[in-house]
């Protein structure tokens, strides 16, 4: 039986990486029959945010890094040393076949130099390197460290082009669920557009509010539903912006949801105004339930999923007028809307869970 260890910072907060870790661990343990252990450093006794199958082992190393402090501070260095000792002890005892770094943690920079013996080491990347100019001593050091991994897993061919070592492989994100029940045609759904986001400046929700303000002047019956954890500073900024523009009756803050596919089935369009994305799962999830996406053509994810004018629209970044025009087009042309909706389901079929997990098995695990 192959043994796989997944390294993360925590599994208590909602997030794409945490969700993907749970999906992979559950699938690899139950379908492939592998022994899967998730090792965290900062769980802090909090409950798991996503359910893990009973076959998956979860263990917290209780390192408790302070993310507000530099990795080079004395406190962080001491914690890193503790992390190295505890992980090294675990590796020597369990002798895993594969060790996967799934989130951005200090161990990313150290793992290639530990005593791993037969273990293959893997690093996943969930952010775009489009803006990474790779200059200076620090970046040359990062390139060197990355070259020491057995595999660097990236999410698209475009992302692969930003790496300098020859150990990269492309494995996209999967869609967790496959729906068997028939879907309601988009033209028969409520007049709702939806955005499922992490409230952070990179999502450029000011642009979304401005776009919706212009759109709803001619479409007052439509609503924009914003899903995401509330309460942080950026959320408050967007909430206040909506209030100041008196859009609270048409832009509705819905809070966090654990039923993404369910809420998407009650929407006609998904909106995305990010300044950058790597490979957003929410586009795949929207496509799985027949929902087309209108997105800024930001680096690099949306353009590697959306097929222009076939299953969605890509808008030049910050071109709010074109974004509004596309919204107008889909709101007025129900035949076009339904056609795009039907095409999205075909697009989503490329990312079903079994296909993507088999890529992991054939490209990486079967080679041990």
């Amino acid at each position: 039986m192959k043994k796989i260890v997944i390294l993360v910072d925590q599994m208590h907060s909602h997030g794409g990486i945490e969700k993907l870790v749970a999906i992979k661990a559950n699938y690899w343990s139950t379908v492939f029959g592998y022994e899967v252990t998730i090792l965290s450093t900062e769980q802090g006794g909090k409950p798991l945010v996503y359910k893990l199958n009973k076959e998956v082992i979860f263990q917290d190393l209780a390192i408790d890094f302070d993310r507000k402090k530099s990795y080079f501070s004395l406190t962080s260095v001491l914690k890193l040393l503790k992390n190295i000792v505890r992980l090294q002890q675990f590796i020597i005892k369990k002798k895993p076949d594969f060790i996967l770094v799934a989130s951005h943690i200090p161990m990313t920079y150290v793992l290639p130099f530990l005593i791993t013996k037969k273990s293959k080491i893997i690093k996943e990347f969930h952010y775009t390197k489009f803006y990474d100019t790779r200059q200076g001593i620090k970046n040359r050091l990062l390139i060197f460290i990355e070259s020491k991994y057995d595999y660097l897993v990236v999410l698209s061919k475009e992302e692969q082009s930003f790496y300098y070592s020859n150990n990269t492989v492309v494995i996209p994100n999967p869609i967790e669920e496959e729906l068997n029940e028939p879907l309601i045609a988009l033209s028969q759904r409520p007049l709702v557009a939806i955005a499922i986001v992490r409230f952070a400046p990179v999502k450029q929700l000011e642009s979304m509010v401005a776009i919706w303000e212009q759109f709803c002047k001619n479409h007052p019956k439509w609503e924009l539903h914003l899903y995401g954890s509330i309460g942080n500073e950026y959320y408050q900024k967007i909430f206040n912006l909506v209030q100041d523009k008196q859009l609270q009756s048409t832009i509705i803050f819905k809070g966090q949801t654990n039923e993404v596919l369910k809420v998407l089935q009650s929407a006609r369009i998904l909106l995305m105004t990010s300044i950058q994305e790597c490979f957003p799962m929410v586009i795949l999830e929207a496509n799985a339930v027949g929902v087309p996406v209108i997105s800024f053509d930001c680096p690099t994810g949306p353009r590697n999923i959306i097929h222009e004018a076939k299953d969605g629209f890509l808008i030049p970044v910050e071109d709010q007028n074109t974004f509004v025009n596309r919204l107008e087009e889909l709101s007025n042309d129900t035949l076009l809307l339904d056609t795009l909706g039907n095409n999205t389901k075909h697009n989503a079929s490329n990312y079903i869970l079994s296909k993507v997990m088999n890529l992991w098995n054939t490209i990486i695990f079967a080679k041990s």
Side-chain angles (χ1 to χ4, degrees):
M1 178 190 296
K2 289 186 173 68
K3 298 179 181 179
I4 302 171
V5 174
I6 305 175
L7 305 182
V8 297
D9 54 353
Q10 50 77 31
M11 289 290 289
H12 61 68
S13 297
H14 286 277
I17 293 176
E18 291 76 21
K19 184 174 183 179
L20 283 165
V21 168
I23 291 171
K24 291 169 184 172
N26 288 337
Y27 196 97
W28 295 343
S29 63
T30 57
V31 179
F32 295 155
Y34 299 156
E35 180 183 303
V36 181
T37 301
I38 300 174
L39 289 183
S40 67
T41 54
E42 299 154 52
Q43 190 69 12
K46 297 177 182 177
L48 297 170
V49 67
Y50 298 109
K51 184 179 179 180
L52 297 176
N53 294 335
K54 66 181 186 303
E55 292 86 359
V56 177
I57 302 166
F58 179 81
Q59 180 180 336
D60 184 48
L61 296 178
I63 308 301
D64 300 325
F65 286 102
D66 186 345
R67 293 292 172 158
K68 296 179 181 178
K69 292 187 177 182
S70 167
Y71 285 165
F72 301 102
S73 69
L74 178 60
T75 300
S76 295
V77 170
L78 292 175
K79 287 181 179 292
L80 177 58
L81 291 174
K82 181 168 69 172
N83 194 170
I84 292 171
V85 170
R86 291 185 179 178
L87 179 59
Q88 188 70 84
Q89 290 173 338
F90 180 91
I91 293 171
I92 292 172
K93 181 180 179 181
K94 296 294 185 179
K95 298 179 176 59
D97 298 288
F98 300 92
I99 304 172
L100 167 65
V101 182
S103 55
H104 189 63
I105 53 178
M107 195 51 59
T108 299
Y109 308 107
V110 180
L111 182 61
F113 309 103
L114 295 186
I115 301 172
T116 54
K117 293 185 178 179
K118 70 171 185 175
S119 303
K120 298 288 186 182
I121 57 173
I122 310 154
K123 175 70 180 93
E124 282 187 302
F125 291 87
H126 296 278
Y127 61 89
T128 180
K129 288 201 176 186
F130 180 87
Y131 297 103
D132 190 347
T133 57
R134 289 291 191 178
Q135 296 177 353
I137 296 175
K138 179 180 177 181
N139 282 322
R140 287 199 294 272
L141 178 60
L142 290 177
I143 293 171
F144 172 74
I145 294 171
E146 288 172 0
S147 72
K148 297 303 178 181
Y149 277 87
D150 292 291
Y151 299 99
L152 303 178
V153 178
V154 299
L155 295 169
S156 69
K157 287 288 187 181
E158 184 176 10
E159 284 297 327
Q160 189 178 35
S161 69
F162 304 141
Y163 291 80
Y164 289 77
S165 52
N166 60 2
N167 55 349
T168 57
V169 295
V170 177
I171 303 179
N173 288 335
I175 299 169
E176 181 182 9
E177 300 177 50
E178 297 177 44
L179 296 176
N180 296 317
E181 69 270 19
L183 295 168
I184 299 173
L186 293 179
S187 57
Q188 303 302 312
R189 299 185 191 185
L191 299 176
V192 170
I194 192 171
I196 301 175
V197 300
R198 171 175 54 90
F199 280 94
V202 71
K203 303 301 182 181
Q204 285 197 132
L205 296 179
E206 298 90 341
S207 291
M208 190 176 296
V209 171
I211 289 164
W212 196 258
E213 181 182 26
Q214 189 175 340
F215 170 75
C216 73
K217 289 177 183 177
N218 297 323
H219 301 275
K221 293 183 179 180
W222 275 72
E223 292 182 353
L224 171 60
H225 292 179
L226 292 179
Y227 284 88
S229 296
I230 64 175
N232 67 16
E233 184 177 342
Y234 186 70
Y235 160 79
Q236 195 60 51
K237 177 181 180 180
I238 300 304
F239 180 84
N240 292 341
L241 179 63
V242 170
Q243 296 291 316
D244 291 343
K245 291 180 174 292
Q246 297 184 340
L247 296 172
Q248 58 267 34
S249 64
T250 186
I251 299 180
I252 315 298
F253 293 87
K254 306 291 283 189
Q256 183 66 50
T257 179
N258 288 328
E259 299 181 309
V260 172
L261 293 183
K262 183 177 180 179
V263 300
L264 282 166
Q265 288 181 71
S266 298
R268 295 191 178 196
I269 308 168
L270 178 80
L271 308 184
M272 184 171 286
T273 53
S274 303
I275 191 64
Q276 67 179 53
E277 291 280 352
C278 189
F279 203 86
M281 286 183 66
V282 69
I283 296 180
L284 303 179
E285 291 167 325
N287 284 185
V289 293
V291 176
V293 179
I294 305 178
S295 172
F296 280 147
D297 186 16
C298 64
T300 57
R303 61 178 173 238
N304 285 294
I305 305 173
I306 298 170
H307 301 86
E308 174 64 21
K310 183 177 181 181
D311 48 43
F313 291 110
L314 293 165
I315 311 298
V317 175
E318 296 292 1
D319 187 349
Q320 295 181 7
N321 289 333
T322 300
F323 205 117
V324 173
N325 290 340
R326 290 304 193 189
L327 259 176
E328 293 269 3
E329 189 176 359
L330 290 183
S331 65
N332 294 329
D333 189 341
T334 55
L335 178 59
L336 175 63
L337 181 67
D338 284 338
T339 299
L340 262 62
N342 289 330
N343 290 340
T344 64
K345 289 176 281 186
H346 175 74
N347 189 39
S349 68
N350 295 313
Y351 304 97
I352 61 174
L353 185 59
S354 58
K355 285 186 178 181
V356 174
M357 292 301 100
N358 282 333
L359 288 177
W360 278 93
N361 211 26
T362 56
I363 294 174
I364 296 179
F365 299 146
K367 293 185 177 181
S368 175

